[in-house]
């Protein structure tokens, strides 16, 4: 079988390797590569909803609702259409809520 070989690493060497960069090296890296920042833009729920309403499957469902309205199923069709809109709204709002939670977990809040 496979054997795991443990390599010897003196504690002093391991402890020194965890120290990070010196201040000068850190500043030089920041100038060269830029700030180490992850920006999560918080999307608007309305823009997400507009994007979802033009998806092919939703358009197909909307056309089916229109056909049902023409064929004496207008009560069922209206209920289904409102249900579809409600579902799409909850999906869009859920995405906004998850992005806000990620931003709060990162300690950034709503400031950008």
């Amino acid at each position: 079988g496979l054997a795991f070989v443990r390599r010897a690493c003196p504690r002093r060497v391991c402890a020194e390797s965890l120290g990070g960069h010196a201040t000068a090296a850190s500043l030089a890296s920041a100038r060269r590569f830029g700030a180490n920042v992850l920006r999560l833009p918080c999307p608007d729920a309305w823009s997400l909803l507009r994007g979802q309403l033009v998806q092919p499957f939703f358009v197909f469902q909307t056309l089916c609702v229109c056909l049902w309205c023409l064929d004496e199923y207008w009560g069922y069709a209206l209920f289904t259409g409102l249900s579809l809109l409600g579902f799409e709204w909850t999906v869009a709002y859920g995405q906004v809520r998850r992005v806000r939670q990620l931003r709060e977990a990162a300690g950034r809040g709503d400031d950008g």
Side-chain angles (χ1 to χ4, degrees):
L2 294 174
F4 176 74
V5 178
R6 185 176 184 145
R7 296 182 181 226
C9 178
R11 289 181 189 242
R12 182 180 56 83
V13 173
C14 291
E16 289 173 359
S17 68
L18 298 176
H21 292 294
T23 304
S26 177
L27 291 175
S29 294
R31 279 193 300 272
R32 181 174 179 190
F33 300 111
N36 187 11
V37 176
L38 174 65
R39 287 188 170 77
L40 292 172
C42 191
D44 181 23
W46 288 106
S47 63
L48 288 174
L49 183 64
R50 280 191 305 264
Q52 288 178 267
L53 294 182
V54 296
Q55 294 295 320
F57 188 66
F58 185 81
V59 172
F60 170 74
Q61 288 176 320
T62 304
L63 291 176
C64 289
V65 166
C66 292
L67 287 174
W68 290 332
C69 282
L70 295 174
D71 192 26
E72 296 185 10
Y73 294 114
W74 59 270
Y76 173 74
L78 291 177
F79 174 76
T80 303
L82 291 175
S83 297
L84 290 172
L85 286 174
F87 173 72
E88 294 297 332
W89 174 255
T90 58
V91 170
Y93 184 72
Q95 288 177 347
V96 171
R97 191 180 60 216
R98 282 190 297 276
V99 169
R100 285 183 183 157
Q101 287 175 345
L102 281 172
R103 291 171 63 114
E104 289 174 7
R108 305 247 339 203
D110 288 330
D111 60 351

